[in-house]
Amino acid sequence: MTKVLVIYTGGTIGMIKDPESGLLNSFDFNSVYEHIPELNRLNVEIDTMSFKKPIDSSEITPKHWVELAECIKKSYSAYDGYVVLHGTDTMSFTASALSFMIQGLQKPIIFTGSQLPIGVIRTDGKENLITAIEIAAAKDSNGESIVQEVAVYFEYSLYRGNRSSKVSSHQFEAFKSPNYPELAVAGVNIKYKWNSLLRSQHPEPIYQFDLSTSVALLKIFPGMDIEIYKGIFNLAQTKGIVLETFGSGNAPSNIAMQKMMEQYVEAGGVILNITQCSTGGVKQGAYQTSSFFNKIGVISGVDMTAEAALTKLMFVLGTCTSVAEVKELISTPICGEMER
Ligand code: ASP
């Protein structure tokens, strides 16, 4: 029988209401069958494990990403797929980070969670969990996993993890993949989009867990006083900056801002330009207001989400040993996170 490991990190999905206090508490995930007896009817052998102290995903740090990735590395030969239950708030960050930390997967790592706790009658958590397990266990006619990458399953859609973003704090349809099609849609049957699925040339996964946290995320806005952000452009502290710019990668022609960026890049800092728009990407040089970025060596993040850009920067800075290498790798698609 196909074997899937379900790892509970925390978040709303694993909560039930204490009947006395009325408060939401995490339940012991090893007793998940009591709460979702339907799992017994899936033709899948399910093991469960849980973070010692399940956390709200706002508390997630790169240390937790490493813990999760280590757990998958250690058990990789024992399971056909993984389901990671995670709070929705930062799920796309964790899924993006894991896609870089474990490349060349031959098995699925499916993230899911829910907007309503599993112990609430109208919960979306049951469907999300059951279908995520089905996807994690799904094989093609050659006996190979259909999904061989990190993905997010939520409200009937499967998205590439590093293309996903949380877009709603209250709707069941909480995630979107703004610049890449869904990998699968669950209706009466689960319809896989075969042409969109990632396939690796590597026979085994490549694990790389060194991440740099010397990164910043800066969103520009009209009238921005760059002096306030001076500290960010200090290379001793910040090795790389994800800059969220207007439209197709544009910024005001503010001399003080340009000078600060130029000096930072000259000193060896890396600036990665992504758009603030919810769809589309960066085309540096399309307008006068982005040509300066080409001149000083700001790197285009093309159509990456902020979650993918930031975690890729952490990964690349943690992995590469020279600025030239960082610039090369950050501009190269690694695992389907950006358009070629
Ligand atoms: N605050 C929660 C979290 O992200 C929300 C959720 O689980 O959906 O952990």
Side-chain angles (χ1 to χ4, degrees):
M1 218 197 302
T2 314
K3 269 185 101 171
V4 169
L5 179 62
V6 178
I7 306 170
Y8 177 55
T9 66
T12 302
I13 191 165
M15 293 188 170
I16 46 168
K17 226 181 210 159
D18 184 309
E20 273 161 33
S21 66
L23 294 175
L24 287 171
N25 286 322
S26 291
F27 68 87
D28 172 10
F29 215 76
N30 296 318
S31 64
V32 66
Y33 284 94
E34 277 169 37
H35 302 281
I36 318 177
E38 294 91 329
L39 292 177
N40 287 306
R41 287 194 275 145
L42 283 176
N43 202 16
V44 180
E45 192 180 329
I46 303 165
D47 283 348
T48 57
M49 68 154 276
S50 168
F51 271 14
K52 245 185 227 134
K53 192 175 167 288
I55 49 172
D56 183 294
S57 76
S58 301
E59 312 280 6
I60 284 273
T61 67
K63 275 198 192 126
H64 297 105
W65 298 341
V66 173
E67 190 181 330
L68 202 49
E70 287 282 8
C71 162
I72 293 169
K73 182 181 176 185
K74 273 192 212 129
S75 62
Y76 192 76
S77 58
Y79 293 99
D80 297 283
Y82 294 86
V83 171
V84 180
L85 300 178
H86 195 288
T88 54
D89 291 349
T90 64
M91 189 186 294
S92 292
F93 284 94
T94 305
S96 297
L98 251 71
S99 74
F100 300 117
M101 295 162 75
I102 313 179
Q103 291 171 39
L105 281 162
Q106 297 77 35
K107 302 177 182 185
I109 302 176
I110 311 296
F111 279 75
T112 196
S114 68
Q115 294 284 58
L116 282 176
I118 222 133
V120 168
I121 293 178
R122 288 183 56 249
T123 186
D124 50 334
K126 280 192 186 182
E127 195 285 324
N128 285 348
L129 174 57
I130 291 167
T131 307
I133 293 173
E134 276 200 44
I135 293 170
K139 302 278 176 97
D140 63 16
S141 52
N142 299 320
E144 285 170 9
S145 294
I146 296 179
V147 178
Q148 303 186 11
E149 58 184 291
V150 181
V152 166
Y153 178 75
F154 219 87
E155 192 65 5
Y156 307 112
S157 288
L158 183 73
Y159 308 107
R160 175 163 298 157
N162 57 33
R163 292 291 198 152
S164 70
S165 278
K166 182 171 178 181
V167 293
S168 176
S169 60
H170 68 287
Q171 281 171 342
F172 285 143
E173 216 181 323
F175 286 83
K176 281 266 178 276
S177 170
N179 286 326
Y180 195 75
E182 286 147 321
L183 303 181
V185 176
V188 174
N189 297 308
I190 301 172
K191 267 202 158 51
Y192 292 95
K193 310 282 176 76
W194 296 93
N195 293 333
S196 306
L197 297 169
L198 193 71
R199 286 294 179 264
S200 153
Q201 309 303 324
H202 301 279
E204 286 295 322
I206 302 154
Y207 302 98
Q208 169 55 259
F209 299 165
D210 293 324
L211 301 168
S212 167
T213 51
S214 305
V215 292
L217 178 61
L218 187 60
K219 183 171 186 159
I220 62 161
F221 56 90
M224 182 177 193
D225 179 357
I226 199 70
E227 275 299 310
I228 296 173
Y229 303 91
K230 208 171 168 183
I232 290 179
F233 291 86
N234 172 5
L235 192 61
Q237 238 157 14
T238 320
K239 303 282 178 253
I241 301 169
V242 174
L243 194 67
E244 276 195 25
T245 57
F246 306 133
S248 54
N250 309 314
S253 311
N254 174 317
I255 302 292
M257 189 188 284
Q258 291 187 339
K259 220 169 161 191
M260 208 175 279
M261 289 185 190
E262 188 168 16
Q263 283 169 354
Y264 178 71
V265 174
E266 259 173 23
V270 176
I271 302 180
L272 185 60
N273 183 5
I274 61 167
T275 180
Q276 297 179 7
C277 293
S278 48
T279 62
V282 161
K283 278 201 173 73
Q284 273 179 195
Y287 288 86
Q288 165 69 34
T289 42
S290 66
S291 55
F292 170 77
F293 288 144
N294 280 339
K295 199 174 119 213
I296 65 164
V298 165
I299 295 161
S300 168
V302 192
D303 60 347
M304 271 191 284
T305 60
E307 294 89 334
L310 195 82
T311 53
K312 184 176 181 182
L313 192 57
M314 286 175 155
F315 171 80
V316 169
L317 288 167
T319 309
C320 300
T321 48
S322 71
V323 178
E325 240 184 275
V326 168
K327 290 190 170 175
E328 172 73 35
L329 191 55
I330 201 84
S331 332
T332 312
I334 296 180
C335 45
E337 77 284 5
M338 66 189 216
E339 205 176 66
R340 281 197 178 268

